[in-house]
Amino acid sequence: MAKLFIFIGSIVMALSVAIGAFGAHGLEGRLTERMMKNYQTGVQYHMIHGIGLLVVGLVAWKLTSSSMLNGAGWSFLIGIILFSGSLYVMALTGITKLGAITPIGGLAFIVGWVLLGIAVLRGL
């Protein structure tokens, strides 16, 4: 699983850079200020949790992989899709009801960090 999470994390990070650049250069002046902030928040959390995926992969490589460590990685990926994805779609379409999905992604991020911490403590 270590290589898989490093691979997924790398792809997620590349996408976050591309999506961030698209927002900075392609959406400037096309979105309201509020929607641009939502979009930027999505990019920020996308990047942070892409790094989290890389950390999961590196920890799995150094320690033995565990169900908690795997759960952390999948939680980060689900969080990126739900949290950042809902903010991207909301910003681009103006459908603010998608904001109801965002906290579910935030919860997935929290679960991922807790699982990562526990997995590291158990692996020491």
Side-chain angles (χ1 to χ4, degrees), residues 26-37:
L27 297 178
E28 189 175 8
R30 294 178 185 223
L31 299 179
T32 65
E33 185 178 334
R34 178 174 176 233
M35 288 301 167
M36 191 62 167
K37 284 183 181 180

Side-chain angles (χ1 to χ4, degrees), residues 3 6 13 21 32 44 48 53 63 75-76 82 84 99 109:
K3 288 181 181 180
I6 292 170
M13 288 301 296
T32 65
Q44 179 183 8
I48 290 167
L53 280 165
L63 303 174
S75 292
F76 288 154
L82 295 178
S84 297
F109 289 149

Side-chain angles (χ1 to χ4, degrees), residues 51-116:
I51 293 169
L53 280 165
L54 294 172
V55 169
V56 167
L58 293 172
V59 169
W61 192 341
K62 187 71 175 164
L63 303 174
T64 57
S65 189
S66 70
S67 60
M68 286 206 174
L69 200 51
N70 292 339
W74 295 120
S75 292
F76 288 154
L77 185 60
I78 290 166
I80 291 166
I81 292 166
L82 295 178
F83 185 91
S84 297
S86 66
L87 290 177
Y88 297 148
V89 174
M90 184 173 62
L92 294 172
T93 65
I95 302 171
T96 56
K97 290 183 181 187
L98 289 171
I101 297 169
T102 309
I104 299 168
L107 182 61
F109 289 149
I110 293 166
V111 167
W113 288 114
V114 170
L115 289 175
L116 177 59

